[in-house]
């Protein structure tokens, strides 16, 4: 089949896609950045953060869950989408407790980097100040739910890559929260390991590796060097492994 | 005679929601140990079970009272009666704090979203049973019985009597489908022929969205799969809707007949009736109807003697979550998971229950299909409008003298309904519940139809004395409470809308806040994942547009006021320091 039947257009730029790719996959391969927090190439897309919403034939769809199809005309960088992405990012900030200057994830954090990328200057909305449980029971991994953005990445990484099912989301509405799959509900009693993808994929400072916080000094961290819009092109989780237990 | 499969008609703990209900019911909560037990029984992980327990409103991690009361907080069947707050009253009488089980473990009082008793006055669920027509006196009597620890079985039975107040019979309600009469007719023709009949009738879904029913069945029939399923959506969670309840009470045979016809058309062997937890009291009745149908060979193997036509129906009862009315969330719930809407496409007709092609239809839709199969498409098309054939069953409640169920040909005007239900001095009507449209008096000539105002069946009347802004506040809280929490704009946005609207109610909002609320509403509407978020801000936008002068009256003149009342925040400090002089106040 002719290759030119596998093209879509994003903001006027025509790009190729492979059969089965989503708009997000195709955009990332073509080095076009569509903002996202809950997506990570190599994991099943979820579509929960809604930052990657683009305009497709006048409709709003998430780029991460929508299949690329020949001839799609997509708008990604528009003032309206920019404003919406800013508002959604601000919502994520006020929903949790974010204390960037004293957070050890500062500079390595995608939420913070997204704020910079979008030119966000304040949180705009009133703070929710939630009280969420901290879990320090594991010797090497710390879980601070107050910074969790419910992106579901750790849940998917644990299931799909680590083959472990350590995390899940419980509760509904604004009470949604991350839970740990162990009889006590504590991370220390789960089978998470420090080098699991699930322990390292958290885009914010909710799941942290202990005693590593300041190994890379501030100023030399990921987003101190490069914009989130460039770093995104290098990301991919290890290929799915087969786990025979389900 | 067909032998019915046990798990189909006996309330059987083969479904995780049923098993959890059983535990909740006997132990009054679902402890961590119980969750572990259920996880082992169902081969689920501990966290999967915990996710389910914490998603559904009727499951509790801490014990509720032996008398567990949930007041409906609907604008029609809610606990606020004029100046009287029935919930506060019973809390006072029984010395309980809402949301907390009393120290001795006997009583707990809380609230829940509309329980579908809107034509029965203020209502509650007590240990899951609807108790209707509440008033000041009844509340006092209830608190006495509870104080005496009298078992519910000894309470007056008429308190629990839910009537079917059908006020107007139309196409569907004036005629009963004799069990088997439609089916027998259908079996004389090939499935595709019946399907063409349904397509030609112009029948569109009665659950709100109005998708062409015949087309839906055709898509499902044409989809490749190992099995196919028929699911009846009896979740009826839209506040102000109760017509499906009345249909389940009176027309269950026609409904099961409709499901069987759908099964015949699409080639399904199994059907599910997903019943909202609030309607659990209908379970016995529905199971009896199922049993009768098995006995008459209208369900089971070789239905009415037709070799190869096998179809079973099972009932699954929900546990308090409006979002489970959304069809893909409903399917998740059927699969024993939290009701989080799926990514669409794929749609249920291609990948639904257990990944197989599935038709999800509203109760009224399936009943209409049974009638069409029997009486023909022309009979059906003789009523209604061009794009909306047939009739619509409305649940009418609020400020009117004759609340109840009314069936009209599509195209009926709002004014006509108001005249029939004897409502005068009406300010506004909410069509289609909180997710629908608020219509002001000047537009009462508008009509109920897919061309104009479509509705799942909720018709809420607000009289002259109703404070419409508090209606918005009620709706805003409803959506924040019922958001599934999956996507950011809805999860956070509905909470923000609630607090912003509260700021208006408190008289502390400025014109800047109105601008903000409009932007926020547009964002929630446009960027959410599913229909809940897409419609959650409609009532706010309607109100701001149609009743702007009322909103403006409540604004302060300042250009900006902080979200919190700073002076009020000092109250605790004033109390502690026993000061109340001018310097202890701001402003
Ligand atoms: C938040 C939400 C709640 C819904 N609740 C119901 C409901 O209670 N009953 C219903 O039949 N449809 C409900 N729907 C619509 C269903 O998703 C679906 O469209 C319908 O059941 C299809 O049946 P129909 O084609 O017969 O109308 C709801 C949709 C949304 C988005
Ligand atoms: S998690 Fe990220 S956004 Fe939150 S406080 Fe830490 S650095 Fe800031
Ligand atoms: S719109 Fe609301 S209910 Fe729907 S998926 Fe998003 S959070 Fe859940």
């Amino acid at each position: 089949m002719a290759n030119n039947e596998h093209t879509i257009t994003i903001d006027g730029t025509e790009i190729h896609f492979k059969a089965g790719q989503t708009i997000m996959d195709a955009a990332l391969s073509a080095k076009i950045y569509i903002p996202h927090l809950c997506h990570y190439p190599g994991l099943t897309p979820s579509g929960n953060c809604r930052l990657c919403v683009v305009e497709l034939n006048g409709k709003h769809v998430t780029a991460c869950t929508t299949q690329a199809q020949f001839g799609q005309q997509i708008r990604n960088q528009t003032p309206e989408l920019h404003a919406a992405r800013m508002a959604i990012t601000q919502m994520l900030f006020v929903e949790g407790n974010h204390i960037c200057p004293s957070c050890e994830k500062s500079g390595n954090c995608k939420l913070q980097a997204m704020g910079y990328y979008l030119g966000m200057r304040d949180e705009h909305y009133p703070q929710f100040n939630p009280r969420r449980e901290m879990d320090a029971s594991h010797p090497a991994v710390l879980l601070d739910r107050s910074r969790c953005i419910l992106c579901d990445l750790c849940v998917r990484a644990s299931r799909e890559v680590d083959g472990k099912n350590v995390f899940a989301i419980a509760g509904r509405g604004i009470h949604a929260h991350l839970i740990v799959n162990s009889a006590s509900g504590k991370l220390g009693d789960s089978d998470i390991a420090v080098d699991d993808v699930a322990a390292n994929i958290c885009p914010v400072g909710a799941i942290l590796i202990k005693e590593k916080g300041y190994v890379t000094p501030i100023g030399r961290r990921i987003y101190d060097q490069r914009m989130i819009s460039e770093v995104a092109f290098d990301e991919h989780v290890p290929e799915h492994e087969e786990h025979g237990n389900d | 005679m067909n032998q019915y499969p046990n798990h189909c008609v006996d309330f059987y703990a083969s479904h995780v929601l049923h098993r959890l209900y059983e535990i909740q019911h006997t132990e009054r909560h679902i402890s961590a140990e119980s969750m572990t037990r259920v996880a082992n029984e169902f081969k689920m992980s501990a966290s999967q079970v915990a996710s389910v327990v914490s998603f559904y409103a009727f499951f509790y991690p801490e014990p509720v009272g032996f008398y567990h009361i949930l007041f409906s907080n609907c604008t029609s069947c809610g606990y606020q009666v004029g100046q009287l707050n029935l919930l506060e009253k019973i809390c006072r009488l029984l010395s309980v704090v809402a949301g907390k089980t009393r120290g001795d473990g006997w009583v707990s009082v809380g609230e829940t979203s509309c329980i579908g008793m809107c034509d029965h006055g203020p209502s509650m669920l007590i240990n899951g049973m609807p108790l209707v027509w509440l008033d000041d006196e009844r509340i006092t009597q209830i608190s006495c019985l509870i104080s005496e620890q009298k078992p519910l079985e000894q309470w007056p039975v008429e308190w629990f009597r839910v009537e079917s107040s059908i006020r107007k019979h139309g196409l569907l309600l004036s005629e009963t489908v004799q069990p088997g009469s439609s089916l027998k007719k259908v079996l004389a023709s090939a499935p595709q022929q019946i399907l063409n009949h349904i397509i030609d009738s112009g029948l569109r879904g009665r659950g709100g969205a109005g998708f062409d029913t015949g087309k839906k069945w055709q898509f499902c029939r044409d989809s490749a799969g190992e099995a196919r399923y028929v699911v009846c959506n009896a979740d009826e969670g839209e506040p102000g809707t109760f017509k499906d309840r009345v249909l389940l009470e009176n027309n269950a045979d026609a409904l099961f007949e409709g499901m069987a016809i759908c099964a015949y058309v699409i080639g399904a062997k199994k059907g599910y009736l997903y019943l909202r937890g609030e309607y659990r009291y209908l379970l016995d009745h529905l199971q009896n109807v199922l049993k009768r149908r098995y006995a008459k060979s209208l369900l089971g193997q070789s239905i009415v003697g037709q070799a190869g036509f096998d179809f079973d129906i099972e009932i699954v009862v929900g546990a308090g979550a409006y979002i489970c009315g959304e069809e893909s969330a409903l399917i998740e719930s059927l699969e024993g998971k939290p009701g989080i809407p799926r990514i669409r496409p794929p749609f249920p007709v291609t990948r639904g229950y257990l990944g197989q092609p599935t038709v999800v239809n509203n109760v009224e839709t399936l009943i209409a299909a049974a009638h069409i199969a029997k009486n023909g498409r022309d009979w059906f098309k003789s009523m209604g409008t061009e794009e909306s054939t047939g009739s619509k069953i409305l649940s009418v409640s609020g400020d009117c003298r004759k609340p109840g169920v009314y069936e009209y040909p599509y195209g009926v005007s709002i004014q006509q309904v108001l005249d029939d239900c004897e409502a005068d001095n009406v300010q506004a009507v909410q069509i289609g519940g909180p997710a629908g449209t608020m219509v002001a008096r000047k537009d009462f000539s508008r009509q109920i139809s897919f061309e104009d105002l479509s509705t799942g069946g909720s018709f809420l009347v607000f009289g002259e004395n109703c404070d419409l802004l508090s209606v918005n506040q009620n709706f805003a809280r409803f959506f924040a409470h019922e958001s599934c929490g999956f996507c950011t704009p809805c999860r956070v946005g509905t909470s923000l809308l609630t607090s912003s609207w509260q700021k208006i109610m408190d008289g502390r909002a400025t014109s800047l806040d109105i601008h903000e609320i409009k932007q926020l509403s547009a964002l929630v509407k446009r960027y959410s994942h599913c229909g809940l978020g897409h419609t959650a801000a409609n009532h706010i936008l309607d109100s701001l547009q149609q009743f702007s002068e009322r909103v403006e009256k409540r604004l302060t003149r300042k250009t900006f006021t902080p979200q919190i009342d700073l002076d009020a925040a000092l109250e605790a400090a004033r109390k502690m320091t026993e000061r109340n002089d001018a310097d202890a106040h701001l402003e």
Side-chain angles (χ1 to χ4, degrees):
Chain A
M1 186 176 290
N3 209 15
N4 58 11
E5 284 189 12
H6 278 142
T7 58
I8 56 176
T9 307
I10 303 182
D11 291 333
T13 308
E14 199 175 44
I15 61 167
H16 288 276
F17 69 92
K18 292 198 206 88
Q21 275 190 321
T22 60
I23 294 174
M24 178 68 83
D25 296 332
L28 288 174
S29 325
K31 301 243 185 285
I32 290 179
Y33 180 63
I34 301 175
H36 57 277
L37 287 172
C38 77
H39 183 63
Y40 205 101
L43 295 177
T44 308
S46 166
N48 62 61
C49 78
R50 317 301 290 172
L51 278 160
C52 76
V53 168
V54 291
E55 256 179 70
L56 170 63
N57 306 328
K59 278 205 272 189
H60 291 77
V61 300
T62 40
C64 71
T65 64
T66 307
Q67 293 296 312
Q69 269 171 28
F70 173 66
Q72 282 170 333
Q73 296 286 331
I74 294 151
R75 307 218 298 160
N76 172 40
Q77 300 288 357
T78 71
E80 190 223 289
L81 290 172
H82 182 90
R85 287 165 181 162
M86 172 100 84
I88 291 170
T89 306
Q90 288 165 323
M91 284 182 175
L92 289 170
F93 265 99
V94 299
E95 185 192 22
N97 299 322
H98 294 278
I99 41 152
C100 296
S102 56
C103 175
E104 68 177 66
K105 187 81 171 183
S106 240
N108 286 334
C109 169
K110 283 192 185 166
L111 183 62
Q112 188 188 52
M114 187 63 73
Y116 281 118
Y117 172 78
L118 295 168
M120 178 183 139
R121 287 158 178 240
D122 64 1
E123 295 183 336
H124 190 78
Y125 299 113
Q127 279 287 344
F128 285 47
N129 297 318
R131 289 192 188 191
R132 300 191 192 143
E133 217 180 315
M134 160 98 89
D135 180 350
S137 61
H138 193 278
V141 185
L142 175 78
L143 172 59
D144 179 1
R145 292 183 177 84
S146 75
R147 283 173 277 184
C148 170
I149 56 168
L150 300 160
C151 67
D152 200 29
L153 277 174
C154 56
V155 180
R156 284 173 277 154
S158 183
R159 260 180 221 158
E160 297 175 12
V161 193
D162 305 328
K164 286 189 181 174
N165 194 23
V166 171
F167 297 103
I169 303 224
R172 78 168 186 228
I174 205 67
H175 304 293
H177 60 281
L178 191 66
I179 58 170
V180 173
N181 185 25
S182 64
S184 64
K186 294 280 183 218
L187 210 47
D189 295 325
S190 77
D191 51 0
I192 197 166
V194 212
D195 45 11
D196 282 353
V197 175
N200 296 280
I201 201 168
C202 181
V204 290
I207 302 174
L208 293 164
I209 306 297
K210 288 183 178 174
E211 295 171 20
K212 288 269 164 64
Y214 293 92
V215 168
T216 312
I218 286 173
R220 275 194 253 147
R221 296 183 168 193
I222 302 170
Y223 303 108
D224 297 334
Q225 324 283 331
R226 295 161 78 204
M227 290 293 274
I228 191 171
S229 52
E230 296 164 36
V231 176
F233 302 136
D234 304 335
E235 291 175 334
H236 206 285
V237 292
E239 290 304 313
H240 293 216
E241 289 160 35
E242 284 303 319
H243 295 279
N245 60 351
D246 49 11
Chain B
M1 180 184 141
N2 266 322
Q3 187 56 40
Y4 54 79
N6 261 340
H7 64 278
C8 283
V9 291
D10 286 326
F11 184 63
Y12 199 75
S14 62
H15 194 280
V16 68
L17 289 183
H18 296 177
R19 181 77 177 98
L20 291 171
Y21 167 80
E22 198 176 45
I23 296 171
Q24 174 67 46
H25 191 66
T26 51
E27 299 171 21
R28 290 176 298 116
H29 74 303
I30 301 173
S31 64
E33 293 77 55
S34 303
M35 286 191 231
T36 311
R37 217 164 58 224
V38 172
N40 290 334
E41 284 169 27
F42 285 82
K43 303 207 171 18
M44 292 165 75
S45 68
S47 59
Q48 275 174 304
V49 177
S51 295
V52 172
V53 169
S54 60
F55 190 85
Y56 295 92
F58 297 161
F59 296 146
Y60 300 84
E62 300 295 330
V64 295
F66 284 101
Y67 296 95
H68 179 51
I69 292 175
L70 290 174
F71 280 93
S72 168
N73 59 18
C74 162
T75 57
S76 286
C77 53
Y79 55 80
Q80 186 74 45
V81 190
Q83 292 309 307
L84 183 67
N85 183 321
L86 299 175
L87 186 149
E88 276 173 13
K89 168 144 185 163
I90 207 162
C91 284
R92 217 165 39 242
L93 290 174
L94 292 168
S95 308
V96 301
V97 178
K100 277 202 188 121
T101 304
R102 199 168 73 184
D104 62 2
W106 273 93
V107 205
S108 49
V109 176
E111 54 183 281
T112 188
S113 301
C114 176
I115 62 170
M117 295 295 152
C118 316
D119 56 342
H120 283 75
S123 305
M124 63 162 72
L125 291 173
I126 180 158
N127 297 352
M129 289 293 290
L131 203 161
V132 295
W133 298 118
L134 300 172
D135 57 16
D136 200 7
E137 192 191 327
R138 184 65 45 85
I139 288 294
T140 311
Q141 291 166 329
I142 290 172
S143 63
C144 287
L145 290 175
I146 290 178
S147 301
E148 294 163 19
Q149 301 183 356
K150 209 167 216 157
L152 283 184
E153 298 76 54
Q154 292 173 27
W155 291 23
V157 283
E158 64 272 14
W159 292 5
F160 298 93
R161 191 164 294 143
V162 177
E163 309 269 350
S164 303
S165 46
I166 301 175
R167 308 269 188 180
K168 192 171 180 329
H169 297 74
L171 218 45
L172 305 182
L173 293 173
S174 50
E175 213 190 315
T176 44
V177 171
Q178 285 308 316
S181 58
S182 289
L183 258 180
K184 281 177 192 145
K185 223 172 151 184
V186 161
L187 290 181
S189 317
Q192 186 64 49
Q193 232 172 327
I194 301 304
L195 181 51
N196 293 342
H197 216 62
I198 300 286
I199 293 174
D200 292 344
S201 75
L203 174 63
R204 293 173 66 172
R206 266 47 177 163
F211 193 81
D212 190 305
T213 305
K215 243 191 226 159
K216 189 184 273 187
W217 293 12
Q218 180 87 64
F219 281 142
C220 186
R221 185 179 153 81
D222 294 344
S223 292
E226 285 147 28
R228 289 185 173 68
Y229 298 95
V230 182
V231 174
C232 171
N233 186 344
D235 197 55
E236 193 164 61
E238 195 69 44
T241 323
F242 51 88
K243 51 104 190 165
D244 289 345
R245 183 199 84 219
V246 172
L247 290 171
L248 292 166
E249 283 162 5
N250 298 283
N251 304 70
D253 258 307
L255 166 64
F256 294 138
E257 194 113 355
M259 288 176 75
I261 293 168
C262 177
Y264 178 69
V265 166
I266 66 171
K269 300 233 169 301
K270 187 76 193 266
Y272 290 93
L273 172 71
Y274 186 89
L275 183 70
R276 72 188 302 222
E278 290 81 346
Y279 292 171
R280 179 181 294 275
Y281 77 102
L282 290 172
L283 204 52
D284 271 353
H285 156 68
L286 292 171
Q287 279 164 342
N288 286 333
V289 177
L290 282 182
K291 279 186 198 170
R292 275 205 313 268
R293 295 183 71 82
Y294 273 104
K296 287 187 187 148
S297 188
L298 299 173
L299 279 173
Q301 305 284 311
S302 310
I303 294 179
V304 285
Q306 177 113 343
F309 181 27
D310 310 332
F311 182 59
D312 286 320
I313 295 178
E314 196 174 328
I315 301 176
V316 172
V317 191
Y322 165 69
I323 188 60
C324 290
E326 195 282 340
E327 57 184 9
S328 66
L330 184 151
I331 289 169
E332 289 283 298
S333 185
L334 265 188
E335 292 179 359
K337 296 186 260 180
I340 293 177
R342 294 178 176 174
I343 295 165
R344 303 177 338 154
F347 290 91
V349 281
T350 51
R351 292 193 57 183
Y353 182 61
L354 303 179
Q356 301 303 318
T358 303
V359 162
V360 180
N361 271 140
N362 177 253
V363 177
E364 187 183 341
T365 313
L366 289 160
I367 291 177
H371 281 265
I372 294 166
K374 181 159 156 265
N375 297 320
R377 55 195 159 193
D378 295 329
W379 165 83
F380 192 72
K381 279 163 78 170
S382 70
M383 276 199 186
T385 67
E386 184 76 23
E387 284 173 47
S388 325
T389 53
S391 66
K392 181 71 195 117
I393 303 180
L394 300 176
S395 329
V396 179
S397 67
D399 297 322
C400 63
R401 278 189 290 282
K402 289 186 169 168
V405 164
Y406 292 75
E407 185 181 14
Y408 289 99
Y410 266 113
V412 64
S413 73
I414 292 182
Q415 190 57 53
Q416 180 67 53
V417 182
L418 290 175
D419 291 344
D420 293 346
C421 72
E422 298 184 9
D424 16 69
N425 293 325
V426 177
Q427 289 190 71
V429 182
Q430 182 76 21
I431 306 290
T437 316
M438 183 173 268
V439 183
R441 186 181 288 146
K442 65 173 174 39
D443 295 323
F444 286 174
S445 59
R446 289 182 67 180
Q447 48 169 249
I448 308 280
S449 66
F450 294 108
E451 295 95 319
D452 189 1
L453 292 164
S454 72
T455 169
S458 173
F459 189 105
L460 297 164
V461 184
F462 300 117
E464 203 54 68
N465 296 326
C466 172
D467 173 12
L468 288 182
L469 268 59
S470 70
V471 169
N472 289 115
Q473 187 194 33
N474 179 295
F475 291 175
R477 284 190 187 151
F478 167 76
F479 287 115
H481 186 256
E482 298 299 335
S483 162
C484 84
F486 169 80
C487 69
T488 319
C490 175
R491 182 182 68 240
V492 186
T494 54
S495 282
L496 287 170
L497 282 173
T498 312
S499 56
S500 323
W501 200 261
Q502 188 62 44
K503 201 174 168 189
I504 301 182
M505 296 293 291
D506 294 346
R508 300 191 316 102
T510 65
S511 45
L512 186 69
D513 288 302
I514 302 301
H515 175 74
E516 275 291 326
I517 291 177
K518 282 187 185 160
Q519 291 212 315
L520 185 56
S521 298
L523 183 93
V524 174
K525 210 174 147 84
R526 207 167 285 166
Y527 292 86
S528 294
H529 169 67
C530 84
L532 187 145
H534 295 156
T535 55
N538 285 354
H539 68 99
I540 288 186
L541 293 169
D542 281 353
S543 231
L544 289 177
Q545 202 206 351
Q546 315 217 40
F547 300 100
S548 55
E549 75 295 351
R550 264 167 239 245
V551 178
E552 246 138 63
K553 259 192 228 148
R554 298 247 185 147
L555 301 184
T556 68
R557 262 164 241 281
K558 296 183 207 118
T559 50
F560 171 82
T561 32
Q563 189 75 17
I564 52 163
D565 178 347
L566 295 172
D567 185 58
L570 285 177
E571 190 53 32
R574 280 193 292 268
K575 277 216 175 99
M576 280 193 290
T577 53
E578 294 183 12
R579 276 181 61 177
N580 204 8
D581 54 295
D583 286 346
H585 283 274
L586 283 165
E587 287 185 291

